[in-house]
Amino acid sequence: MNRYVFLVLCLIFSQSLVAQATKKLPKKMCGTYLGKQPAYQVLQHNQSIHVDSATLSIEVSRNAVSICYKNPRFCPVLNGSITSVQKMCKGRNQTWNVQVTPVNSLILEELIFNPKTKELIRTGIFPQPNTLLKKSRKK
């Protein structure tokens, strides 16, 4: 009887490890993406606050993503784990939808990759606009 209980507990534990495993991206999507987030306005306490445009850098590795603003240097997501990878379309219009969970946060970052054009779209969290980034070349 004890063996069966032990076996069931081992199976449950192994299933929980598989469920929490991070996803991996294809190598062709890894690299550094650069772009400019457009300016936007925030309405807070009946005052309109203008937020200037900012240069954005996203570094993508096989199992982690870092999102950083260039000036001043600020990284809201540093080595965030990839929770979901989905291929959206087939053929020429193939895109990949990737969701990243920042460390110690509940808000998901959503990235849309287009491997053919080597572009990435970061969907902004309201009120931020979406940002188009292009893959930088190797130096």
Side-chain angles (χ1 to χ4, degrees):
M1 182 69 177
N2 288 336
R3 290 182 186 169
Y4 295 118
V5 172
F6 179 73
L7 184 63
V8 169
L9 288 175
C10 287
L11 286 173
I12 292 172
F13 180 72
S14 66
Q15 288 296 325
S16 67
L17 288 178
V18 170
Q20 294 177 0
T22 59
K23 310 292 186 213
K24 287 191 175 183
L25 288 175
K27 264 188 169 177
K28 63 183 173 183
M29 286 191 254
C30 297
T32 302
Y33 293 82
L34 299 171
K36 195 165 217 169
Q37 179 176 319
Y40 60 96
Q41 291 186 345
V42 179
L43 185 64
Q44 196 171 38
H45 302 293
N46 294 329
Q47 291 182 348
S48 181
I49 300 170
H50 181 75
V51 179
D52 292 330
S53 62
T55 305
L56 189 64
S57 169
I58 298 180
E59 293 182 25
V60 179
S61 67
R62 292 217 22 146
N63 54 5
V65 174
S66 295
I67 301 174
C68 295
Y69 291 98
K70 291 285 188 175
N71 194 8
R73 182 99 173 132
F74 172 65
C75 297
V77 178
L78 195 59
N79 293 328
S81 61
I82 298 169
T83 55
S84 159
V85 178
Q86 294 178 339
K87 190 186 286 189
M88 298 305 286
C89 301
K90 294 182 180 179
R92 293 180 182 256
N93 299 330
Q94 180 183 30
T95 57
W96 293 73
N97 190 349
V98 177
Q99 291 185 341
V100 178
T101 304
V103 180
N104 299 329
S105 178
L106 297 175
I107 299 173
L108 292 175
E109 289 281 344
E110 187 174 347
L111 307 172
I112 300 170
F113 288 92
N114 188 339
K116 182 173 178 163
T117 60
K118 296 184 180 179
E119 293 178 342
L120 177 141
I121 298 173
R122 176 188 178 243
T123 55
I125 302 167
F126 183 79
Q128 292 178 340
N130 294 348
T131 307
L132 176 68
L133 299 105
K134 295 199 179 233
K135 190 172 186 178
S136 66
R137 295 179 176 232
K138 292 180 183 178
K139 295 181 182 178

